[in-house]
Amino acid sequence: EMAPAQTLERAVKAYSHRDDRFALDKKIYGQYFQLYYQRLMLLLPRLKLAVEAKWPGAATAKILDLKEGEECVIMGTLYKDMRLKPSILDEYGKDLTLGATVDAKKFVADDDALVLEDEGARVKLVGAAADPKQFVTGVVMACRGKVVQDGEFEVSETCFPAPAPQKPFPVAEKDEAPASASSPPPGEYVALVSGLRVGDPRASDPKVLELLLDYLTGNLGSSVDQRAAASVARVIVAGGALAEPEDRAAVSRVGGAGQTASSIQNAANARAQLRSLDVFLTQLAASVPVDVMPGEGDPTNQALPQQPLHPCLFPEASRFAPATFAAATNPHDFSVGACDFLGTSGQNIDNMRAYMDLEASRRSSGGEDGAEEDASVASEIKTNLAKKSGAESLDLLASSLRWQHVAPSAPDTLACYPYKDRDPFYVDKSPHVYFAGNQPAFGARVVRSDGETKTLLVSVPDFAKTGVVAMVNVDTLECFPAQFGA
């Protein structure tokens, strides 16, 4: 046991962020076509480098100059034509059956089609290499193939932009991220957590939240646990910290002449939840530096990039700013020590999940992914489903990184601001850790973009539903889940 007089010192790591590129303080409003044009212009030079490396000497052509039967490479921005994609016009349609598809979790259909568009024209893509289930609108890519009948372009191979430069990592990483560990390996950590839902006992167990708080502040467990807690240099809350009001519209009407007892009660509940979160973050920031990112439903703008939650929401926790408390943007681009992080609160991955079906694509191509789940006994079905959903989140993160864009489906199916002179979501520096919050299950995987670029992908689970925190070792790039509660 630890001697009473022994004091553990909190791990300290240098911290910096690059969230300025996600700020909305400049006049950014334009047409959405300008955002797509900026994306293409930013990624096209790296796409040309990747094409030359993958297909040396291959002929390239503009879509307007394509000739039937001649093999060549075309480059542009992808558009996915989807019959099931929700439209605001559907709400005004006379056919009441239109509403049935809006509540679906996936909007993928067998008759979806891909179109590639460059600066001058567009062409429909066909062939096994252009499976619509694997893509979303907004991807900048190159296709090798030839024009066939009906003016369609038959794709034989695809290529994506070369990865952005990555800062050298001082310690060699391990290629495999362990899914679990009885005790954390030595080193200093960043704790990634999302979906706390503080102040809503129906969504998040207060006892489990108290366990998490006690652990991170070093007031829980044996001396081994306390030393592990002291090694946490920073906590990142990736969205979902606040419980969403039952009736947000009713809360917004409070103070008007038409307020009801229900709306007043909802407003009182919202204030109580804010106070609970402020107390929670105050206790946390008093012990360990913490960043709070907004997420879906949190009280800030809902279109990406989401701006930091206002300090008036956290009057006590904000007293620790900027030393140990920071309200961050979503996405959040920061560094802890020599480790570069890039992450979101999960809206980008959830949106990609709704418009892609990687599992169906693998099945149709004869892949064997998911065989482990199929062979499992009935008692392990729930566990395997969680692993599968975590793996899906990692696959989507890998696709986003491969495409060199944090939110490729914005603005087509994911709301974002219409930037006219830049695209803040493209990857201009390859991160060492790329994460998404509020996911169905924990997952971690190291991917290699080329011979030198390695990135740890982390699926950060919804804490209110799973009780799991993702612990990232910033010295070795290992990651493991810390489980709280039953």
Side-chain angles (χ1 to χ4, degrees):
E1 291 294 329
M2 183 171 55
Q6 183 177 357
T7 301
L8 295 174
E9 292 188 4
R10 171 72 61 183
V12 177
K13 285 282 190 180
Y15 170 81
S16 63
H17 71 79
R18 298 198 308 146
D19 289 344
D20 293 345
R21 63 185 175 127
F22 302 122
L24 299 178
D25 54 350
K26 298 179 181 179
K27 187 177 181 181
I28 60 172
Y29 304 107
Q31 298 294 322
Y32 280 114
F33 81 88
Q34 295 170 311
L35 178 61
Y36 282 121
Y37 179 77
Q38 290 297 327
R39 181 180 307 177
L40 179 61
M41 292 299 101
L42 287 167
L43 291 175
L44 193 57
R46 281 158 46 193
L47 180 59
K48 291 179 178 179
L49 290 176
V51 166
E52 181 60 31
K54 186 173 184 178
W55 306 312
T60 61
K62 295 292 185 180
I63 294 176
L64 278 175
D65 301 328
L66 290 176
K67 297 180 180 179
E68 186 172 337
E70 291 186 4
E71 185 173 84
C72 63
V73 176
I74 56 175
M75 292 173 273
T77 305
L78 199 65
Y79 172 76
K80 184 174 179 179
D81 186 16
M82 296 173 286
R83 173 172 53 86
L84 299 180
K85 183 172 73 172
S87 169
I88 188 64
L89 297 178
D90 293 345
E91 296 184 13
Y92 301 96
K94 294 181 180 179
D95 187 354
L96 297 180
T97 61
L98 289 174
T101 60
V102 177
D103 295 331
K105 293 183 179 180
K106 284 189 179 290
F107 303 99
V108 179
D110 292 335
D111 58 353
D112 291 345
L114 297 179
V115 175
L116 192 70
E117 180 178 313
D118 63 11
E119 302 96 320
R122 54 168 49 189
V123 64
K124 183 177 180 180
L125 305 180
V126 296
D131 184 357
K133 293 183 175 66
Q134 296 182 2
F135 297 98
V136 294
T137 295
V139 176
V140 174
M141 62 184 294
C143 298
R144 185 176 186 177
K146 59 184 178 181
V147 176
V148 294
Q149 295 179 1
D150 300 325
E152 299 173 338
F153 192 85
E154 185 175 35
V155 182
S156 57
E157 292 182 90
T158 58
C159 183
F160 306 100
Q166 185 180 59
K167 184 173 67 178
F169 199 72
V171 178
E173 313 93 345
K174 293 185 178 181
D175 289 346
E176 295 296 331
S180 62
S182 57
S183 60
E188 296 179 336
Y189 286 81
V190 169
L192 303 175
V193 62
S194 64
L196 293 174
R197 301 299 177 193
V198 178
D200 187 355
R202 294 170 303 177
S204 184
D205 189 343
K207 295 180 181 178
V208 179
L209 286 172
E210 192 67 25
L211 283 175
L212 172 64
L213 182 62
D214 287 345
Y215 174 77
L216 292 174
T217 55
N219 296 315
L220 182 70
S222 65
S223 58
V224 175
D225 296 321
Q226 292 176 356
R227 279 193 292 270
S231 68
V232 177
R234 200 166 197 93
V235 176
I236 309 297
V237 181
L242 185 64
E244 187 174 0
E246 297 178 17
D247 187 348
R248 188 174 295 278
V251 173
S252 66
R253 289 196 302 267
V254 170
Q259 62 182 346
T260 64
S262 174
S263 64
I264 295 175
Q265 183 59 47
N266 286 337
N269 291 341
R271 287 192 292 269
Q273 292 162 1
L274 276 172
R275 284 195 296 270
S276 297
L277 178 59
D278 189 25
V279 171
F280 182 91
L281 294 175
T282 299
Q283 293 176 286
L284 195 59
S287 176
V288 58
V290 56
D291 290 2
V292 180
M293 299 167 55
E296 185 175 4
D298 286 341
T300 184
N301 61 296
Q302 295 305 296
L304 294 182
Q306 288 183 290
Q307 298 305 286
L309 296 170
H310 199 279
C312 71
L313 298 173
F314 318 111
E316 297 302 323
S318 296
R319 297 176 186 270
F320 290 92
T324 59
F325 179 81
T329 59
N330 173 35
H332 189 21
D333 186 352
F334 63 99
S335 300
V336 177
C339 188
D340 293 334
F341 287 76
L342 176 62
T344 71
S345 296
Q347 295 100 316
N348 58 332
I349 300 303
D350 292 340
N351 189 262
M352 290 170 61
R353 180 183 287 109
Y355 293 94
M356 296 171 63
D357 196 343
L358 299 178
E359 185 64 24
S361 179
R362 281 192 288 263
R363 288 196 302 268
S364 63
S365 62
E368 298 183 358
D369 288 41
E372 179 182 349
E373 287 77 10
D374 296 336
S376 299
V377 295
S379 62
E380 298 176 339
I381 288 179
K382 184 176 180 181
T383 301
N384 286 329
L385 285 175
K387 290 180 180 178
K388 189 173 180 179
S389 58
E392 182 185 27
S393 297
L394 294 175
D395 290 341
L396 294 170
L397 280 165
S399 295
S400 171
L401 189 64
R402 186 183 310 116
W403 300 332
Q404 292 292 286
H405 204 275
V406 174
S409 59
D412 182 54
T413 56
L414 180 64
C416 77
Y417 283 87
Y419 290 88
K420 62 179 181 180
D421 58 352
R422 58 194 171 104
D423 182 356
F425 304 112
Y426 91 105
V427 178
D428 63 343
K429 183 176 70 171
S430 293
H432 299 112
V433 180
Y434 183 35
F435 67 89
N438 298 287
Q439 296 305 296
F442 168 81
R445 179 192 303 165
V446 171
V447 296
R448 300 170 182 263
S449 299
D450 55 21
E452 300 179 355
T453 305
K454 292 182 180 179
T455 299
L456 171 68
L457 308 179
V458 183
S459 170
V460 184
D462 188 314
F463 184 82
K465 297 177 180 178
T466 65
V468 174
V469 176
M471 307 290 289
V472 178
N473 190 318
V474 295
D475 297 323
T476 64
L477 288 190
E478 292 177 294
C479 182
F480 73 95
Q483 176 79 51
F484 297 86

